[in-house]
Amino acid sequence: MNRSLTGGFLVLAMLTSTAGVALASKTVIKAKGTDATGSFEVQEVQTCVDGSTALRTMSVHIGMFESTTTTNGVPSTVLNSSIGVDRFDGCNFVFSFGFGLFQGVGSLTMTALKTGKITGHFSLDDGTVVDLNVTLTGTDTATLGARTQRSILGKVIVIERSIGTTRTATLSGTVKVDGQNIPATQWTSPSGELARNTGGEITILKP
């Protein structure tokens, strides 16, 4: 869970030259974000034209991530979403897949990894239209992960640190696909996850 990077750094760079003391330029980026993902399947038996029966399945994949990035004290908040719907027609052995990446579409609200809610109206690349009203509820102990990295490339020094907490979640609510309402009672193999991430990056350019 290192999509965003955190603050909490103190860097002091003192670089000397033949003319005296030269200070490095520094860019400080701090970020924090909330992340919710979920997926489920819908299965139904269909009657084929020859009178036989076959299984028709549809899988829905949802991902939404909101981050606030502060660069040298100036904040910017962005909401990113990825939505996918794939279908399989057992009578005709036809598979289809629709997908979309979105920015600033829909909404994500989260309460301390206890609950999260995803809403929005999305049009995918194959023409599929998805309407979401999904609630995620945390179910287990939160897991904490951290990462620190320092890299030097020529005159550029980059120091990164990120901390992320994740928790599995149950799904509830309703989803509409092409106007067809699909309540949670019809979902099979549902899975979800809630996450919160904070991080930071300092980039130093030597003179």
Side-chain angles (χ1 to χ4, degrees):
M1 287 293 166
N2 293 317
R3 298 187 204 182
S4 31
L5 303 171
T6 66
F9 299 100
L10 177 62
V11 174
L12 177 62
M14 298 183 66
L15 304 171
T16 58
S17 68
T18 56
V21 176
L23 297 179
S25 64
K26 181 174 67 174
T27 301
V28 180
I29 299 175
K30 297 180 180 180
K32 59 182 180 179
T34 54
D35 192 348
T37 59
S39 64
F40 63 86
E41 287 188 354
V42 179
Q43 300 180 342
E44 61 177 330
V45 176
Q46 59 179 332
T47 302
C48 307
V49 293
D50 62 359
S52 63
T53 59
L55 196 63
R56 178 166 50 204
T57 63
M58 178 173 62
S59 299
V60 178
H61 307 273
I62 306 163
M64 193 170 281
F65 175 62
E66 184 178 69
S67 63
T68 299
T69 302
T70 302
T71 304
N72 292 339
V74 180
S76 175
T77 300
V78 177
L79 177 65
N80 293 291
S81 306
S82 62
I83 311 295
V85 176
D86 54 87
R87 299 179 174 94
F88 177 72
D89 183 340
C91 287
N92 301 304
F93 294 95
V94 175
F95 177 83
S96 61
F97 180 73
F99 183 73
L101 293 174
F102 307 89
Q103 190 172 90
V105 179
S107 66
L108 170 62
T109 57
M110 192 178 297
T111 305
L113 287 187
K114 294 180 179 179
T115 61
K117 189 168 185 179
I118 294 174
T119 62
H121 177 84
F122 305 90
S123 296
L124 309 187
D125 58 359
D126 68 341
T128 299
V129 176
V130 180
D131 292 282
L132 300 176
N133 187 358
V134 177
T135 297
L136 298 92
T137 303
T139 58
D140 66 353
T141 303
T143 301
L144 177 66
R147 179 177 72 97
T148 302
Q149 179 175 317
R150 182 175 184 269
S151 59
I152 300 176
L153 182 61
K155 293 186 176 183
V156 179
I157 302 172
V158 179
I159 303 171
E160 302 174 60
R161 185 184 179 192
S162 62
I163 300 174
T165 307
T166 63
R167 190 180 189 187
T168 58
T170 59
L171 305 179
S172 61
T174 59
V175 173
K176 288 184 179 180
V177 178
D178 291 334
Q180 176 186 356
N181 186 49
I182 308 172
T185 54
Q186 297 180 16
W187 303 350
T188 61
S189 303
S191 65
E193 185 176 87
L194 297 170
R196 297 177 67 89
N197 303 281
T198 56
E201 176 182 298
I202 292 179
T203 301
I204 302 170
L205 179 61
K206 297 179 184 179

